[in-house]
Amino acid sequence: MKIKTEQRLAIICTFVWIGFICAISFMEAWLKFRAPGVTLPIGLGIGRLVFAAMNKVEWVLALVIFISQFRIARRLNWVYIGILLILLLQTIWLLPALDARAQMYIDSKVVPNSYLHVYYVIAEGLKFIALFVFGIRLFKAVEQDETSTTSTPSKSALA
């Protein structure tokens, strides 16, 4: 059986999204502060730009996957709904709150202690795991489609 374009798009977008999380959240976010000459305000300014851009890319990927999944199954997988909820939480609460804290540091203001970064890291970890599970399920669905198609005799074989 030939893989549908929607299935390809969903699989590609899912694993590209995982790659973004690994590259940005799990590497760039903390690594930039180790570069020579990068001060805390400069690093925070870079982080604000990078995470704002990444959030927009994530919503584009989420939309492509949403459309692909809806066209394939006419319903959404509960794991994918969880991914969307985490992304929504990050977009409307965590990122704006972290952005405001970063701006306070950049403006040399006193910033109270907070667990926002811990919450963000937990959300990213959960989103990563959920995307991985979702991606594996997409592969398994394609495999099942191929198996059911090859095990069923074709119309020409029945004639």
Side-chain angles (χ1 to χ4, degrees):
M1 178 184 149
K2 197 171 161 187
I3 299 175
K4 296 177 185 173
T5 302
E6 291 87 357
Q7 290 171 313
R8 283 188 183 130
L9 274 173
I11 290 168
I12 290 168
C13 287
T14 299
F15 286 98
V16 165
W17 194 348
I18 289 171
F20 265 92
I21 291 171
C22 290
I24 302 298
S25 295
F26 299 158
M27 282 182 55
E28 185 277 341
W30 61 272
L31 201 55
K32 71 177 161 273
F33 293 105
R34 295 183 177 266
V38 176
T39 62
L40 184 60
I42 290 172
L44 291 172
I46 293 167
R48 290 175 66 212
L49 290 171
V50 169
F51 278 90
M54 180 175 153
N55 188 252
K56 289 176 179 71
V57 169
E58 286 184 296
W59 279 109
V60 169
L61 293 170
L63 181 62
V64 172
I65 295 169
F66 178 87
I67 292 168
S68 298
Q69 285 301 287
F70 194 74
R71 290 186 59 162
I72 293 167
R74 298 279 183 230
R75 62 183 175 81
L76 293 177
N77 179 297
W78 67 269
V79 175
Y80 187 68
I81 292 169
I83 294 165
L84 290 177
L85 290 174
I86 292 169
L87 183 58
L88 185 64
L89 177 77
Q90 289 176 317
T91 302
I92 63 174
W93 175 51
L94 287 170
L95 285 172
L98 287 168
D99 193 58
R101 287 178 56 80
Q103 189 59 53
M104 289 172 68
Y105 271 112
I106 292 167
D107 294 340
S108 300
K109 294 181 180 173
V110 176
V111 181
N113 289 335
S114 166
Y115 289 104
L116 288 172
H117 275 95
V118 174
Y119 299 153
Y120 191 85
V121 169
I122 291 169
E124 282 294 88
L126 291 172
K127 188 169 60 179
F128 170 83
I129 292 166
L131 278 164
F132 188 77
V133 167
F134 180 70
I136 296 302
R137 286 184 175 186
L138 290 174
F139 273 123
K140 285 184 178 181
V142 169
E143 186 178 88
Q144 286 174 350
D145 287 348
E146 287 177 351
T147 304
S148 65
T149 305
T150 56
S151 64
T152 307
S154 66
K155 288 181 183 177
S156 60
L158 295 173

